[in-house]
């Protein structure tokens, strides 16, 4: 975030061993100077880390923070639970900084550490391979209280009474820790810490090691405390009465991405008689650590499938003749109590969006779809709204069309069951406002198949993405994996069903999702954003968003990388290349035939010319738009709302980690006393020298002429 000073992830890679030695030396002719940095000799910085930061909602705070000057402790490596005894009971040098094996990063261990003053912080090593038992720091009942089920609507389904969707969920991400916790992303840095521990800190024969000891210092002080209500009130007061206001927290916010099959006036209102089918997915994820949110199964598998289905539908020859329009919608911030979907519903109700709720014919949502057993995809519906006869008829029709569309495909769609409630989904926010016929497609009938929901381990390996060894980055980008083929099958079924649902009467066999496109998207969104395809389809002025490792956290600066890329991938897959100059493309309102109210225009970089470093840019016309994904609670200034999401992220000034050798307290005291003594002696000596300066530094007289 640009508002963060010293934000994690921005530092350049540091040394992997001992600090390098730098000698003083200046080359004045070049204007350069190298210094023998004392700090570099003392500290080894840890640059590849990710912190746990503080988040707040209407009632409380979660996450972690250090003291204002950082927290320091002697390092102790914990690779099995028995090693905790030294930290919690036996060790003579508390407080300790623990280097924790990733397999021990669980609720039972963390609550032990939370309840003691002998722990000053924690560095977690990534477990490779991922913990086989699963790891999810999210809640067992995600977004509980903000979906459709409550004491007034399907109380038997409220609070996951019927189905615990995420049984592996430990809730760690929703605990509050008063010490810093960092993730060590680089195995080399982890090894440096372990080597320092081995050299200095290993207990000898059950007794404590001798000084000097290897220590770690973690800085992650957070400005916000208590709750969103408190931090937003403080920020508001600062903004009102201070010349230089210091904001202490920011709402989690971004943009939803949406487009339509047939163009509509984005600044007007759709005819009330015009029916629209909404297809939806979420594009954000989360984990315990800041901006570490790969979300392979929880988000990427579904929105990539959604994008592929949109491309397949746009290629159909008669889509402009369909009696119902289709709206492709990608929601941001859904992890945090449905930020994006609740905002879109709010805007529809307040006539701040081209569509109204009355325009919605039906709702199809793609949830987690990559981990299917026996190629089965489950169709979830809401049993409460289906008690209404007219809704039941429409839902039944929707289910039949989806089931029939899967015939002959390698994926089978089955109904989860009439008595089964909806899983956590954006559709629930629409149902809170209106009884809309809808279905949520998932790879699980009851509990999630995903054992790494909302965790750092929800990676490409979790959805079984595998590549042959020895491929170059370009070959990997183009390689069609089995996962891509599988998701392309799902996209094909969804696209064909949407075509039928929209009133299409032709044969659907020509509607086919492209596995090669799915492969490119999976590679870009999960492995490497900075690839040749993504480079070619984005605007030149935002090429800096293409980092190496994709993350899908909603954050507080917007749009985030994921939003931009979904926007331009969708425009590339569903838009049209038009013959406009750069000037005309950037200013379409000056071109009479541009139909600016119906289309968006983007001047994109284009591909590299063969054997050249120059690109061939072009103009893309599409129906892709952005809309706010900021919770209505902040628009209404209802920071204590229980109706809408109230999540905020604390601000901070500095986040970093480093290791160094620390001396014993006795030696530190002796050093201090000797230093003070030398200082006093120096002051006394200086005083007396100054008092006798006229004698000590007098100029000798001229001896004059000497006679012989």
């Amino acid at each position: 975030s640009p508002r963060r000073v010293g934000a994690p992830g921005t530092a350049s890679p540091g040394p992997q061993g001992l600090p390098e030695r730098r000698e003083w030396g200046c080359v004045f002719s070049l204007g350069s100077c190298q210094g023998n940095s004392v700090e570099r000799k003392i500290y080894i910085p840890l640059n590849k880390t990710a912190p746990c930061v503080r988040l707040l909602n209407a009632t409380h705070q979660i996450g972690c923070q250090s003291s204002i000057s950082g927290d320091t402790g002697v390092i102790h490596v914990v690779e099995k639970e028995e090693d905790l005894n030294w930290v919690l009971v036996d060790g003579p040098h508390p407080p300790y900084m623990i280097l924790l094996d990733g397999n021990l990063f669980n609720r039972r261990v963390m609550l032990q550490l939370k309840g003691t003053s002998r722990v000053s912080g924690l560095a977690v090593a990534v477990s490779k391979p991922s913990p086989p038992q699963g790891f999810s720091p999210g809640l067992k009942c995600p977004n509980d209280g903000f979906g459709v089920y409550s004491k007034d609507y399907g109380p038997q389904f409220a609070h996951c009474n019927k189905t615990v969707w995420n049984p592996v969920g430990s809730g760690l991400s929703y605990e509050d820790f008063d010490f810093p916790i960092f993730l060590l992303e680089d195995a080399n840095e982890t090894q440096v810490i372990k080597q320092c521990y081995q050299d200095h800190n290993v207990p000898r024969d059950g007794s404590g090691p001798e000084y000097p000891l290897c220590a770690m210092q973690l800085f992650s002080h957070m400005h916000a405390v208590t709750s969103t209500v408190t931090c937003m009130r403080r920020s508001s007061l600062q903004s009102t009465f201070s010349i230089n206001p210091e904001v202490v927290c920011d709402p989690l916010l971004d943009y939803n991405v949406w487009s339509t099959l047939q163009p509509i006036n984005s600044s007007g209102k759709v005819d009330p008689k015009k029916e629209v089918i909404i297809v939806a997915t979420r594009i954000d994820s989360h984990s315990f650590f800041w901006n570490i949110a790969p979300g392979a199964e929880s988000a990427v598998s579904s929105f990539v499938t959604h994008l592929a289905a949109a491309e397949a539908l746009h290629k159909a020859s008669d889509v402009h003749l369909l009696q119902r329009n289709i709206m492709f919608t990608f929601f941001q911030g859904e992890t945090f109590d449905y930020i994006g979907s609740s905002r879109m519903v709010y805007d529809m109700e307040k006539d701040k969006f081209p569509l109204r709720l009355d325009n919605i014919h039906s709702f199809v949502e793609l949830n987690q779809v990559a981990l299917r057993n026996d190629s089965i995809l489950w169709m979830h519906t809401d049993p409460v709204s289906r008690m209404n006869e007219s809704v039941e008829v429409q839902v039944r029709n929707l289910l039949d069309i989806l089931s029939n569309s899967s015939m002959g495909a390698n994926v089978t769609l089955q109904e989860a069951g009439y008595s089964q409630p909806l899983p956590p989904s954006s559709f629930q926010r629409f149902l809170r406002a209106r009884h809309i016929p809808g279905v949520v497609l998932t790879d699980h009938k009851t509990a999630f198949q995903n054992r790494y929901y909302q965790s750092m381990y929800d990676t490409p390996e979790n959805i079984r993405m595998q590549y042959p060894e020895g491929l170059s980055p370009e070959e990997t980008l183009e390689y069609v994996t089995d996962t891509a083929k599988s998701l392309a099958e799902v996209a094909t079924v969804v696209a064909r069903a949407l075509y039928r649902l929209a009133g299409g009467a032709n044969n659907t066999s020509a509607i086919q999702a492209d596995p090669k496109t799915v492969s490119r998207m999976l590679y870009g969104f999960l492995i490497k954003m900075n690839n040749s395809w993504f480079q070619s389809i984005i605007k030149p002025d935002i090429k800096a968003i293409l980092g190496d490792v994709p993350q899908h956290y909603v954050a507080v600066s917007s749009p985030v990388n994921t939003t931009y890329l979904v926007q331009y991938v969708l425009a590339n897959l569903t838009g049209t290349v038009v013959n406009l100059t750069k000037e005309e493309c950037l200013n379409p309102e000056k071109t009479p035939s541009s139909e600016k109210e119906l289309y968006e225009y983007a001047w994109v970089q284009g591909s590299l010319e063969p054997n050249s470093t120059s690109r061939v840019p072009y103009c893309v016309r599409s129906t892709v738009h952005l809309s706010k994904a900021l919770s209505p609670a902040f628009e209404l200034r209802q920071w204590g709302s229980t109706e809408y999401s109230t999540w905020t992220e604390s601000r901070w000034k500095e986040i970093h980690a480093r290791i160094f050798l620390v001396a014993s307290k006795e030696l530190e005291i002796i050093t201090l006393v000797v230093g003070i003594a030398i200082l006093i002696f120096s002051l006394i000596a200086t005083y007396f020298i100054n008092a006798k300066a006229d004698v000590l530094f007098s100029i000798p007289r001229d001896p004059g002429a000497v006679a012989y």
Side-chain angles (χ1 to χ4, degrees):
S1 166
R3 289 172 288 201
R4 309 277 187 231
V5 178
T10 59
S12 59
Q16 302 304 324
L18 294 174
E20 64 182 40
R21 184 179 181 85
R22 292 186 177 180
E23 301 300 333
W24 282 102
C26 296
V27 185
F28 294 104
S29 61
L30 300 176
S32 63
C33 180
Q34 289 185 328
N36 180 4
S37 169
V38 174
E39 183 176 358
R40 295 280 296 178
K41 286 187 170 184
I42 297 174
Y43 300 106
I44 299 178
L46 303 172
N47 293 309
K48 294 290 289 180
T49 61
C52 159
V53 303
R54 173 161 289 165
L55 298 171
L56 310 99
N57 67 8
T59 56
H60 61 289
Q61 64 186 30
I62 63 172
C64 325
Q65 77 156 2
S66 74
S67 60
I68 195 166
S69 57
D71 289 318
T72 304
V74 173
I75 295 171
H76 191 75
V77 175
V78 175
E79 295 180 326
K80 53 186 185 296
E81 285 204 44
E82 293 74 27
D83 296 336
L84 287 172
N85 290 332
W86 185 263
V87 173
L88 300 175
V89 181
D90 302 330
H93 306 119
Y96 284 96
M97 277 282 176
I98 297 175
L99 174 57
L100 187 68
D101 184 271
N103 286 299
L104 293 177
F105 186 54
N106 57 53
R107 186 177 183 85
R108 184 179 66 257
V109 169
M110 291 303 296
L111 290 185
Q112 288 184 65
L113 303 181
K114 183 178 179 179
T116 176
S117 60
R118 290 174 60 89
V119 175
S120 59
L122 195 67
V124 180
V126 175
S127 176
K128 292 185 178 181
S130 303
Q133 71 275 15
F135 173 73
S136 172
L139 298 171
K140 292 183 183 295
C141 189
N143 290 356
D144 186 25
F146 289 86
V148 69
Y149 302 113
S150 65
K151 60 183 179 62
D152 301 317
Y153 187 100
Q156 68 273 30
F157 304 124
H159 312 301
C160 295
N161 287 335
K162 184 76 173 181
T163 306
V164 177
W165 295 107
N166 186 30
V168 183
S170 65
L172 262 186
S173 287
Y174 296 85
E175 289 286 337
D176 183 37
F177 296 93
D178 59 359
F179 53 78
I181 304 175
F182 279 51
L183 177 69
L184 300 173
E185 299 181 76
D186 190 332
N188 290 331
E189 290 189 341
T190 304
Q191 192 54 46
V192 168
I193 299 171
K194 286 185 176 180
Q195 189 60 53
C196 191
Y197 167 79
Q198 291 289 339
D199 293 343
H200 300 279
N201 293 13
V202 174
R204 308 295 179 187
D205 301 322
S207 61
E210 295 183 2
Y211 286 97
L213 298 175
C214 192
M216 183 185 295
Q217 190 172 33
L218 302 178
F219 294 82
S220 62
H221 182 66
M222 300 286 122
H223 291 183
V225 293
T226 309
S227 68
T228 289
V229 177
T230 301
C231 81
M232 290 299 291
R233 184 176 65 244
R234 288 177 179 174
S235 296
S236 179
L237 287 171
Q238 285 268 350
S239 300
T240 304
F241 297 109
S242 176
I243 298 174
N244 298 307
E246 182 165 337
V247 176
V248 296
C249 70
D250 301 285
L252 295 182
L253 63 97
D254 203 71
Y255 289 91
N256 298 320
V257 182
W258 63 276
S259 75
T260 52
L261 194 61
Q262 300 161 359
I264 63 172
N265 187 342
S266 61
S267 59
K269 292 289 179 289
V270 173
D271 187 326
K273 296 180 182 178
K274 183 68 175 176
E275 293 182 323
V276 179
I277 301 158
I278 291 184
V279 195
T281 48
R282 53 182 271 194
I283 57 176
D284 69 298
S285 187
H286 179 44
S287 82
F288 187 88
F289 299 98
W290 185 80
N291 209 28
I292 301 294
E297 161 72 337
S298 61
V300 178
S301 67
S302 56
F303 76 68
V304 161
T305 304
H306 187 171
L307 288 164
E311 180 192 33
L313 263 174
H314 272 268
K315 287 180 178 178
S317 58
D318 61 335
V319 290
H320 60 287
L321 301 175
L322 296 177
Q323 66 187 67
R324 298 186 185 97
N325 204 349
I326 299 174
M327 177 173 155
F328 306 100
T329 313
F330 301 81
F331 292 120
Q332 259 289 13
E334 295 301 274
T335 301
F336 295 95
D337 300 335
Y338 306 118
I339 293 173
S341 54
S342 63
R343 179 52 185 263
M344 185 170 282
V345 171
Y346 174 83
D347 286 346
M348 287 181 174
E349 290 177 321
K350 302 297 181 184
D351 278 345
K352 296 180 179 180
F353 195 79
L355 267 67
R356 300 176 180 86
L357 291 170
D358 292 345
N359 292 116
I360 302 175
H361 170 268
S362 51
F363 198 104
V364 177
E365 180 170 351
L366 286 161
N367 214 310
Q368 302 180 87
V369 294
L371 299 177
R372 301 193 306 280
N373 285 334
D374 302 322
S375 297
I376 296 174
L377 209 59
W378 295 97
M379 301 182 291
H380 298 263
T381 57
D382 172 42
V384 179
S385 61
R386 289 181 68 177
M387 293 178 185
N388 181 299
E389 189 174 341
S390 64
V391 173
E392 167 64 16
V393 170
Q394 291 173 289
V395 170
R396 192 74 262 162
N397 179 56
L398 177 56
L399 294 172
D400 290 342
I401 288 174
L402 282 164
S403 297
N404 293 335
S405 298
S406 68
M407 298 215 175
N410 290 330
V411 56
T412 304
L413 270 65
Q414 293 187 15
E415 190 175 350
Y418 187 88
S419 60
Q420 178 90 353
L422 286 169
S425 52
S426 306
F427 179 41
Q428 293 200 31
R429 291 301 304 191
F430 285 80
L431 274 179
R432 282 175 73 121
R434 185 182 177 86
H435 281 181
I436 298 169
V439 62
V440 178
L441 303 178
T442 72
D443 56 22
H444 55 89
K445 183 179 182 180
T446 52
F448 296 163
Q449 297 271 12
N450 185 6
R451 294 173 299 150
Y452 305 108
Y453 182 76
Q454 287 186 12
S455 94
M456 56 195 170
Y457 300 114
D458 192 3
T459 57
E461 292 77 17
N462 186 34
I463 59 172
R464 303 161 190 158
M465 279 177 63
Q466 296 178 332
Y467 295 93
E469 292 184 6
L471 294 183
S472 67
E474 201 61 31
E475 290 170 336
T476 310
L477 173 67
E478 301 295 337
Y479 183 81
V480 180
T481 62
D482 289 340
T483 302
K485 293 174 185 175
S486 173
L487 293 179
E489 287 278 356
V490 177
T492 298
V493 170
V494 171
R496 290 174 179 177
L498 291 171
Y499 175 81
R500 289 285 184 218
L501 201 59
N506 292 339
N507 192 298
T508 58
S509 59
I511 298 176
Q512 186 75 43
D514 185 359
K516 187 174 181 179
T517 303
V518 175
S519 284
R520 285 177 164 187
M521 289 191 285
L522 288 174
Y523 178 80
F525 285 113
L526 287 174
I527 297 175
K528 189 175 183 181
M529 280 186 169
N530 194 11
N531 62 74
S532 60
W533 185 49
F534 278 5
Q535 289 167 6
S536 69
I537 63 175
I538 65 170
K539 290 181 176 180
D541 57 343
I542 62 166
K543 61 185 178 182
I545 68 168
L546 296 178
D548 280 336
V549 182
Q551 303 297 344
H552 307 293
Y553 172 60
V554 59
V556 298
S557 58
S558 58
V560 295
N561 301 16
T562 306
T563 303
Y564 270 130
L565 288 170
V566 169
Q567 177 188 6
Y568 286 105
V569 169
L570 183 59
N572 177 267
L573 297 180
T574 63
T576 306
V577 177
V578 290
N579 188 24
L580 295 178
T581 65
K582 181 179 180 180
E583 182 64 27
E584 291 170 334
C585 191
L586 295 177
N587 301 284
E589 64 278 358
K590 296 180 181 178
T591 307
S593 60
S594 68
E595 298 180 289
K596 179 69 174 69
E597 67 279 358
L598 298 180
Y599 297 102
E600 293 287 331
Y601 291 80
W603 184 257
V604 300
Q605 291 196 121
S607 302
L608 288 170
E609 291 181 319
N611 303 317
S612 173
T613 56
S614 61
R615 296 182 176 274
V616 185
Y618 56 91
C619 186
V620 175
R621 184 186 73 183
S622 71
T623 62
V624 180
H625 306 279
L626 299 180
S627 65
K628 277 187 181 179
L630 169 65
S631 170
F634 298 100
E635 291 277 317
L636 301 168
R637 296 176 67 86
Q638 295 175 358
W639 304 318
S641 173
T642 56
E643 168 74 10
Y644 299 113
S645 171
T646 53
W647 285 104
T648 53
E649 180 187 280
S650 173
R651 286 200 178 187
W652 60 79
K653 276 196 171 67
E654 185 179 26
I655 286 185
H656 68 265
R658 59 192 185 182
I659 63 172
F660 56 95
L661 294 182
V662 64
S664 66
K665 294 292 182 185
E666 292 80 3
L667 181 57
E668 288 178 343
I669 292 170
I670 291 171
T671 303
L672 177 63
V673 170
V674 170
I676 292 171
I678 291 172
L679 174 64
I680 293 171
F681 174 78
S682 301
L683 292 173
I684 294 171
T686 303
Y687 172 78
F688 282 109
I689 290 171
N690 186 60
K692 301 293 183 180
D694 55 334
V695 176
L696 295 173
F697 305 111
S698 61
I699 301 172
R701 295 181 195 174
D702 186 353
V706 179
Y708 294 94

